[in-house]
Amino acid sequence: MLGDSLGEMLAYCAAADVAFVGAACCRSGAEPARADRRRRADAGRPHTFNFAETTERAIEAGAARRVADAEALIREVDALLRQPQERAAMRDAATAFMAAHRGAADRLWAWLEPRL
């Protein structure tokens, strides 16, 4: 399935076994969907400068992968579709990654409020 509409990405990702965020192939980057809602493996993106630290941490956690080009994407998606245990491991890693990083807005507000 190919989705190209704002506001519906969570629904697309929730329906997918493997997802690729294509806008990050552009130099403008793109923010990835929330891993705890998507429950699927994520074949990564080369241009992630606007969320570079999060991307690197997700890759290190086994929650996402980065591909260099279209051929690498095809190989990665094919491998993930053929290996349900690997997809499950990535899904579980993504869920754990998101759980570990929940509450950032609350922590930021707790720090910021006394300074206002």
Side-chain angles (χ1 to χ4, degrees):
M1 178 189 316
L2 176 63
D4 186 19
S5 57
L6 293 174
E8 298 176 332
M9 291 308 297
L10 285 177
Y12 293 143
C13 289
D17 291 323
V18 176
F20 173 73
V21 179
C25 289
C26 307
R27 296 204 182 275
S28 62
E31 191 161 339
R34 289 184 46 171
D36 61 329
R37 289 197 181 165
R38 65 186 180 207
R39 300 291 294 166
R40 46 82 185 152
D42 184 14
R45 314 145 297 266
H47 298 289
T48 56
F49 59 87
N50 56 337
F51 47 95
E53 183 179 349
T54 300
T55 299
E56 292 307 316
R57 287 183 178 181
I59 291 168
E60 289 169 7
R65 295 182 183 171
R66 178 175 284 126
V67 295
D69 54 35
E71 282 124 20
L73 172 63
I74 291 168
R75 286 191 305 273
E76 190 69 30
V77 169
D78 182 59
L80 285 169
L81 289 174
R82 293 174 188 268
Q83 301 170 2
Q85 295 87 0
E86 184 68 20
R87 282 197 324 271
M90 286 185 74
R91 179 192 64 229
D92 294 345
T95 300
F97 180 79
M98 290 304 296
H101 294 89
R102 263 198 192 103
D106 291 336
R107 288 190 303 275
L108 176 60
W109 182 249
W111 177 87
L112 183 60
E113 184 178 31
R115 291 166 173 77
L116 294 177

